[in-house]
Amino acid sequence: MDQGPGQGQDGDALAVPAAQPPLEAKAPEVGPVKTVAGGVPAVLSALKHVLGEAGPWRGGKLLWKINQEDGFDCPGCAWPDPQHRSVQEYCENGAKAVAEEGTQERVTPEFFRDWSVARLAEQSDLWLGKAGRLTHPMVLREGATHYAPISWDEAFALVAEELNALGSPDEAAFYTSGRTSNEAAFLYQLFVRQFGTNNLPDCSNMCHESSGTGLSETIGIGKGSVTLEDFDHAQAIFVIGQNPGTNHPRMLTALQAAARRGCEIVSVNPLPETGLNRFKHPQEVLHLFGPGTALNKLFLQVRINGDVALLQGLGKALLDREAKAPGTVVDRAFVEGKTTGFDAYAAHLATVSWDDVVEESGVPRDQLEAAADILARSERTIFCWAMGLTQHRNAVGNIQEIVNLTLLRGSIGKQGAGVCPVRGHSNVQGDRTMGIWEHAKPEFMDALSKEFGFEPPRHRGLDTVGTLQALHDGRVKVFFAMGGNFLSATPDTEFTARALRRARLTVHVSTKLNRAHLVHGQRALILPCLGRTEHDVQAAGRQFVTVEDSMGMVHASRGAVAPASEHLLSEPVIVARLAQAVLGARSKVSWLSLVEDYDRVRELIQRCIPGFEDFNRRVRERNGFALPNGPREGRFTTKDGKAHFTVHAMPRHRLEPGQLMMMTVRSHDQYNTTVYGLDDRYRGIHQGRRVVFLHPEDVKARGLTAGQKVDLTSHFQGETRVAREFLVVPYNIPRQCAATYFPEANVLVPVDSFAEKSRTPTSKSVIITVAPSPEPTALVPVSTSRSG
């Protein structure tokens, strides 16, 4: 039953839900930093989560089917599957992701009857996630304090009512999470464009947009150029701004194999990460109790956002070697035959001083020279990176400096060499391929027009930052999210909350409860969907969906267990029914017929998107198929057919006295905004997340002590933002740098601070000051109870 304004069923007064998680009831515990990743602790952690949450039968079946040819694609990351898969083709955090989705707990209408929105907002993100799987569509009517059940037909009619009442289609925005399958994403963007807008913000805007922009401008495609097999042939692998031990643990298997055959691995990061130090493969029983395999040949501890300086230093060192021994370092035939801009690049590096390189990067010259030696003797080098490079104002420059080094050595377009942005979400790359983009290419729009007989909007739509600003200004009135936890994933948490509260309607397609459901518009809907792990049965029988991994491989994903509720709909069906309700006779697409058999959706995809020819047959083949990739084949798909060297000014970071450069990171018990537990065992943090990592000398210089609670204040263009009560943890991090967990510190990231060209929020370049928290501290207790 809906509750009117004023009182909730449990006696709560109508309150504005908190945008941020409550403060922790007790301080986190700090222990020793681990030196080895994987091994027995990883096995025990995986089993604890899967068996404890999904149970022995359901959990065992899920582990048996994860990343198998007749099973489902892991929702945990976009690392590719090997050609020859093992029986246990998953990592610790993949098992946690499966346990989270396969949980036996349920969030039912009775749960929402007992818990008001205001009281739910008092719970931690961990508590919300552990509450269980959503079972029914729910509505929060205007002025109500509790979500209430609603039928699917009524829910779609409510969305249609709001969308069709808008003054312009551009008054709505349609967000997409990287969890969405190719089939759902293609239908979603088709519906949105037939509705009349290109407002298609997505999770890529917040993570790897800088990679796509930087690569498209220089090599002609916004994707990496390597395959998993290339790791078997690389002589050197540079891992920059990435923590694979936590965010892509299956990558450690490829790195371990590379290290064992003599490949030299160089890691570049402000924090030394356990997963790049030593690794014990959990499936190698005889090695579980040994020291593990050493991965790093060299660790370069760069200052936060000192990467342009570091990469230019490597380029300068290589050109110095070339000058001393012409023809031995620069691949002249490659540079002269396949690139442009080398002379300008070389001339720029000649003006760069070593003093500036060392000062801005924070890395001593002898270490840079050692890394340059590795590059100079490697004929086949792979450069990998993640969000440590992409979330800075100069992020596109970071990526393009990597491309410069790759072109200098001719390390692209041949076996064992190339560029490799490692994406986190399981289908974030596929979503973009399917057209989830606020400024899709004209060729794609032309294909939609020809195939479906309508004229798609051609003006640029809103990305994530633009959507936040438009919601805040009242220019966007309806917000629809296909997956994700938009509130917690985006920057400037309080600004985002104010923006969402100004909407007339907010809608979230979700599997689990999260904080985005609790900060809402005048009306709100939660639409529960099938998970990746679950059977999807439509009129034509059991269905499968497809995904694209970080390396452009497309393969099938088939659910393995019964759905959590008989009331769940698949994402393709949700989109189709929504489109039918909103567009009606305005659309010539037979929406409901398409989702009776997903082969029909794939037939449309193959007619609209190059590389998907004969889609239904090829995706049923073993391991799927690779999409076309010109740079991988030695063909650069830029307008002039050449790869481009680029020139970038070295960023200068001038901090005021007392200021620090902060970056946000993830814990080992976390995937994106989903918190699996309160431990980050590799970094020695237990039972808490509100910590700030500081160099011991920076702790001392500020008169602070280990374990002290402090407030963090960010500074941007005269504005300040504050995050309360973080525990000081002295750590091995460069001076004048700080690290905090995402999303707790997102409140400090200004919405107007984003990367040039890509507009990715600068979550890894936040200027802060640190001050003791006022005493006495008033903590909000975190409930562990599941009932009212």
Side-chain angles (χ1 to χ4, degrees):
M1 179 182 298
D2 286 353
Q3 301 298 314
Q7 293 291 323
Q9 185 164 315
D10 51 10
D12 293 340
L14 183 62
V16 177
Q20 301 177 53
L23 300 179
E24 293 170 353
K26 66 175 185 177
E29 300 171 4
V30 182
V33 176
K34 301 297 183 183
T35 58
V36 183
V40 173
V43 175
L44 295 178
S45 177
L47 292 176
K48 172 187 173 183
H49 281 266
V50 173
L51 299 181
E53 295 187 50
W57 171 249
R58 188 176 178 93
K61 190 170 184 179
L62 289 172
L63 291 181
W64 185 258
K65 290 293 186 180
I66 186 172
N67 292 322
Q68 301 300 322
E69 288 182 49
D70 61 344
F72 59 91
D73 188 72
C74 178
C77 78
W79 189 250
D81 299 323
Q83 291 289 331
H84 306 289
R85 311 186 197 196
S86 66
V87 174
Q88 296 171 308
E89 194 57 57
Y90 58 88
C91 66
E92 175 189 351
N93 276 6
K96 292 176 183 176
V98 165
E100 191 80 4
E101 186 171 293
T103 178
Q104 299 178 85
E105 299 292 337
R106 299 291 181 263
V107 174
T108 63
E110 290 73 26
F111 174 96
F112 284 108
R113 181 195 62 202
D114 293 339
W115 286 88
S116 70
V117 173
R119 287 205 59 218
L120 286 171
E122 295 173 356
Q123 311 309 311
S124 70
D125 286 354
L126 175 63
W127 188 96
L128 293 174
K130 298 303 182 187
R133 286 288 300 279
L134 296 160
T135 61
H136 292 68
M138 305 296 295
V139 62
L140 186 69
R141 303 194 187 277
E142 187 169 0
T145 58
H146 292 62
Y147 275 97
I150 186 174
S151 73
W152 279 105
D153 285 343
E154 290 176 305
F156 292 129
L158 191 158
V159 180
E161 172 194 339
E162 287 284 1
L163 289 177
N164 288 326
L166 296 174
S168 163
D170 288 331
E171 292 180 352
F174 300 86
Y175 176 75
T176 316
S177 159
R179 185 198 68 201
T180 309
S181 67
N182 287 331
E183 292 74 15
F186 183 81
L187 292 177
Y188 192 50
Q189 64 81 30
L190 178 61
F191 155 64
V192 171
R193 291 190 164 105
Q194 286 206 345
F195 178 66
T197 185
N198 284 317
N199 290 348
L200 284 160
D202 74 323
C203 62
S204 184
N205 296 151
M206 293 181 285
C207 54
H208 267 289
E209 197 70 52
S210 301
S211 298
T213 302
L215 293 174
S216 294
E217 290 182 350
T218 52
I219 65 174
I221 190 171
K223 306 180 183 183
S225 67
V226 302
T227 66
L228 186 55
E229 289 67 41
D230 284 315
F231 284 77
D232 296 332
H233 302 278
Q235 295 173 329
I237 299 171
F238 279 64
V239 183
I240 310 178
Q242 183 190 1
N243 177 15
T246 288
N247 299 320
H248 314 93
R250 292 172 72 209
M251 182 180 177
L252 296 183
T253 303
L255 294 178
Q256 181 188 55
R260 283 175 172 174
R261 62 174 175 76
C263 177
E264 296 183 290
I265 298 172
V266 178
S267 64
V268 181
N269 207 49
L271 295 176
E273 298 294 5
T274 300
L276 287 167
N277 183 41
R278 303 188 77 89
F279 173 59
K280 294 181 184 179
H281 197 309
Q283 294 183 31
E284 294 183 345
V285 178
L286 296 179
H287 298 280
L288 284 180
F289 300 98
T293 303
L295 299 184
N296 269 340
K297 176 75 173 182
L298 181 65
F299 169 52
L300 304 180
Q301 190 168 26
V302 67
R303 290 177 56 188
I304 292 176
N305 201 13
D307 303 282
V308 165
L310 183 146
L311 295 165
Q312 288 185 353
L314 294 180
K316 185 176 182 67
L318 291 175
L319 291 179
D320 288 347
R321 286 160 175 72
E322 173 70 10
K324 294 174 183 176
T328 62
V329 177
V330 176
D331 188 333
R332 291 288 179 181
F334 180 90
V335 169
E336 293 171 7
K338 295 193 174 185
T339 76
T340 64
F342 171 75
D343 289 342
Y345 170 69
H348 172 68
L349 290 189
T351 69
V352 171
S353 76
W354 274 109
D355 287 345
D356 286 344
V357 167
V358 171
E359 179 183 357
E360 295 300 329
S361 70
V363 178
R365 181 171 176 177
D366 63 330
Q367 293 184 24
L368 293 170
E369 295 283 5
D373 284 340
I374 292 173
L375 263 179
R377 62 177 171 257
S378 171
E379 297 296 325
R380 299 185 298 276
T381 302
I382 294 175
F383 287 89
C384 304
W385 68 88
M387 288 187 289
L389 287 190
T390 63
Q391 293 182 321
H392 306 278
R393 182 166 179 80
N394 50 276
V396 173
N398 287 339
I399 308 310
Q400 293 183 341
E401 289 292 356
I402 287 179
V403 173
N404 286 337
L405 294 177
T406 304
L407 301 181
L408 188 70
R409 295 289 294 134
S411 283
I412 190 169
K414 63 183 181 183
Q415 190 178 59
V419 291
C420 181
V422 184
R423 288 166 165 84
H425 243 312
S426 60
N427 198 42
V428 63
Q429 184 63 70
D431 283 355
R432 181 54 53 84
T433 302
M434 292 297 108
I436 301 294
W437 198 9
E438 73 276 3
H439 60 116
K441 294 181 179 179
E443 298 84 354
F444 178 76
M445 298 298 217
D446 292 341
L448 292 182
S449 178
K450 179 180 178 182
E451 178 65 31
F452 298 104
F454 79 107
E455 180 54 33
R458 300 286 177 150
H459 59 280
R460 185 168 185 149
L462 297 173
D463 58 13
T464 296
V465 169
T467 295
L468 289 173
Q469 293 166 333
L471 279 163
H472 192 271
D473 296 343
R475 291 179 285 119
V476 164
K477 299 176 174 63
V478 175
F479 176 77
F480 192 105
M482 183 63 68
N485 180 352
F486 189 76
L487 173 76
S488 296
T490 48
D492 216 334
T493 309
E494 294 296 342
F495 181 93
T496 297
R498 292 194 299 272
L500 289 169
R501 289 178 180 130
R502 291 174 181 173
R504 292 201 325 221
L505 174 68
T506 51
V507 186
H508 295 274
V509 177
S510 305
T511 58
K512 304 287 293 292
L513 189 65
N514 65 56
R515 197 158 299 277
H517 304 143
L518 311 179
V519 177
H520 49 79
Q522 294 174 22
R523 293 194 285 182
L525 284 169
I526 302 173
L527 305 182
C529 65
L530 292 174
R532 183 76 60 79
T533 60
E534 294 171 319
H535 296 156
D536 182 353
V537 180
Q538 304 301 333
R542 183 79 59 85
Q543 302 296 307
F544 68 87
V545 294
T546 63
V547 296
E548 178 186 350
D549 64 33
S550 279
M551 297 177 187
M553 296 293 298
V554 178
H555 59 270
S557 177
R558 299 172 174 85
V561 296
S565 166
E566 63 181 0
H567 302 286
L568 305 182
L569 298 181
S570 72
E571 287 181 327
V573 170
I574 289 174
V575 175
R577 290 186 61 177
L578 177 64
Q580 185 68 39
V582 174
L583 301 176
R586 287 180 285 162
S587 175
K588 298 178 182 179
V589 177
S590 181
W591 294 98
L592 301 184
S593 173
L594 285 177
V595 292
E596 291 176 351
D597 185 344
Y598 296 171
D599 278 358
R600 297 170 188 171
V601 182
R602 289 185 281 271
E603 288 170 1
L604 296 178
I605 292 172
Q606 74 181 19
R607 294 203 291 268
C608 294
I609 304 177
F612 286 87
E613 295 79 11
D614 204 9
F615 190 1
N616 279 310
R617 180 189 65 79
R618 293 165 69 205
V619 80
R620 285 174 165 87
E621 293 179 349
R622 179 182 175 87
N623 294 314
F625 61 93
L627 292 175
N629 189 305
R632 180 181 295 164
E633 302 156 11
R635 297 179 296 101
F636 296 106
T637 46
T638 54
K639 290 183 179 179
D640 59 5
K642 302 276 190 178
H644 298 170
F645 282 91
T646 51
V647 173
H648 301 277
M650 185 185 298
R652 306 297 178 119
H653 305 297
R654 298 292 176 260
L655 299 175
E656 300 293 332
Q659 290 184 338
L660 301 158
M661 184 70 79
M662 185 199 81
M663 64 179 184
T664 61
V665 299
R666 300 175 191 172
S667 79
H668 195 63
D669 258 358
Q670 175 181 5
Y671 170 64
N672 289 346
T673 59
T674 302
V675 177
Y676 301 133
L678 296 178
D679 294 343
D680 190 357
R681 72 171 186 273
Y682 289 164
R683 297 191 183 109
I685 306 300
H686 303 278
Q687 294 304 305
R689 295 175 51 81
R690 296 185 78 87
V691 299
V692 55
F693 298 101
L694 301 173
H695 190 283
E697 291 300 317
D698 284 327
V699 175
K700 181 179 178 181
R702 285 157 181 77
L704 304 173
T705 58
Q708 185 174 358
K709 283 191 174 178
V710 295
D711 292 348
L712 313 179
T713 301
S714 68
H715 305 265
F716 179 75
Q717 296 182 349
E719 301 173 349
T720 59
R721 295 162 176 80
V722 180
R724 306 287 184 190
E725 299 193 4
F726 281 67
L727 191 79
V728 171
V729 177
Y731 206 77
N732 183 6
I733 187 173
R735 290 293 308 269
Q736 294 188 291
C737 293
T740 52
Y741 290 129
F742 154 105
E744 285 81 359
N746 279 8
V747 65
L748 299 171
V749 184
V751 71
D752 294 322
S753 180
F754 44 77
E756 296 168 345
K757 296 184 179 179
S758 70
R759 291 172 54 85
T760 298
T762 59
S763 300
K764 298 274 192 292
S765 286
V766 182
I767 296 175
I768 67 166
T769 52
V770 180
S773 298
E775 296 290 348
T777 301
L779 290 176
V780 178
V782 179
S783 172
T784 57
S785 170
R786 296 257 181 105
S787 66

